[in-house]
C-alpha cells in the first residue's frame, strides 16, 4: 500500500475570520484549508506564515480566494528560507481547488497528496468559517 494511504492522525481546527492563531504542535503535516469566510489580506498572510512555521509541508486550499491562499503560502515558504532555494525537506507543496467539491479535495488529500521528502503523518483541516462543522467535515474526510 502506498505511504500516502496509510492512516494519518486527523486534526480539526475551526477559526473564525481574523481570529488569533494558536500554537500548533504537529509533526510535518498536510493542511486542508477550507475558507468559508472573508478574511483580511493581512490575516491571510499572517495565517500563511503561521502554517509554514508550524510545519505545513503540503497545503490544499479550497473556498473563498483559494488561489490567493495558495500564493500566500508559497510566498511564506519562500520567506521562511530567505528567498533562497529551499532544501527538499523544507519545500512546501501547494494546490488550490477552486472548482472542486470538498469531497474531491478530501479524496485527493487522502489518496494522492504527498511530499517528496517528508512523511506526512498528520492532516489538519483548518476550517475558516463563522461556525464550526467538526463532526460533519471529519465524517466527509473519513468517507473520502
Amino acid at each position: 500500500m502506498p505511504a500516502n494511504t496509510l492512516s494519518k492522525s486527523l486534526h480539526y481546527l475551526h477559526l473564525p475570520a481574523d481570529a488569533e492563531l494558536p500554537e500548533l504542535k504537529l509533526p510535518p503535516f498536510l493542511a486542508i484549508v477550507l475558507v468559508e469566510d472573508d478574511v483580511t489580506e493581512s490575516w491571510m498572510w499572517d495565517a500563511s506564515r503561521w502554517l509554514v512555521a508550524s510545519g505545513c509541508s503540503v497545503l490544499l486550499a479550497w473556498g473563498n480566494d483559494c488561489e490567493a491562499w495558495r500564493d500566500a503560502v508559497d510566498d511564506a515558504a519562500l520567506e521562511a528560507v530567505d528567498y533562497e532555494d529551499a532544501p527538499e525537506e523544507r519545500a512546501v507543496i501547494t494546490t488550490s481547488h477552486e472548482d472542486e467539491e470538498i469531497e474531491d479535495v478530501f479524496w485527493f488529500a487522502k489518496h494522492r497528496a504527498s511530499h517528496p521528502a517528508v512523511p506526512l503523518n498528520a492532516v489538519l483541516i483548518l476550517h475558516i468559517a463563522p461556525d464550526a462543522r467538526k463532526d460533519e467535515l471529519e465524517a466527509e474526510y473519513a468517507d473520502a
Side-chain angles (χ1 to χ4, degrees):
M1 177 180 295
N4 61 343
T5 60
L6 295 175
S7 179
K8 300 173 185 173
S9 63
L10 180 63
H11 307 269
Y12 173 89
L13 176 60
H14 167 255
L15 292 176
D18 302 325
E20 185 174 327
L21 301 167
E23 182 179 357
L24 289 179
K25 294 184 179 183
L26 297 174
F29 61 93
L30 179 149
I32 305 167
V33 179
L34 306 177
V35 186
E36 297 182 318
D37 205 352
D38 294 324
V39 300
T40 62
E41 186 174 356
S42 64
W43 189 83
M44 178 183 63
W45 288 97
D46 289 344
S48 296
R49 289 182 186 103
W50 165 76
L51 282 165
V52 170
S54 297
C56 176
S57 295
V58 174
L59 173 115
L60 284 60
W62 179 90
N64 299 359
D65 299 319
C66 65
E67 289 185 24
W69 277 89
R70 183 199 63 216
D71 291 344
V73 171
D74 284 342
D75 287 347
L78 284 170
E79 184 179 276
V81 294
D82 295 323
Y83 300 93
E84 300 289 332
D85 288 335
E88 193 172 11
E89 66 275 1
R90 290 198 59 198
V92 179
I93 311 300
T94 62
T95 61
S96 63
H97 301 267
E98 184 175 13
D99 297 323
E100 297 179 40
E101 299 294 325
I102 286 178
E103 297 82 10
D104 296 330
V105 176
F106 286 161
W107 186 91
F108 181 79
K110 282 182 77 170
H111 302 285
R112 291 287 184 252
S114 64
H115 192 279
V118 178
L120 301 171
N121 296 317
V123 173
L124 171 67
I125 297 174
L126 175 57
H127 185 212
I128 302 165
D131 300 308
R133 295 190 296 136
K134 181 181 191 304
D135 293 340
E136 175 187 342
L137 292 173
E138 286 182 346
E140 285 185 41
Y141 181 84
D143 289 343

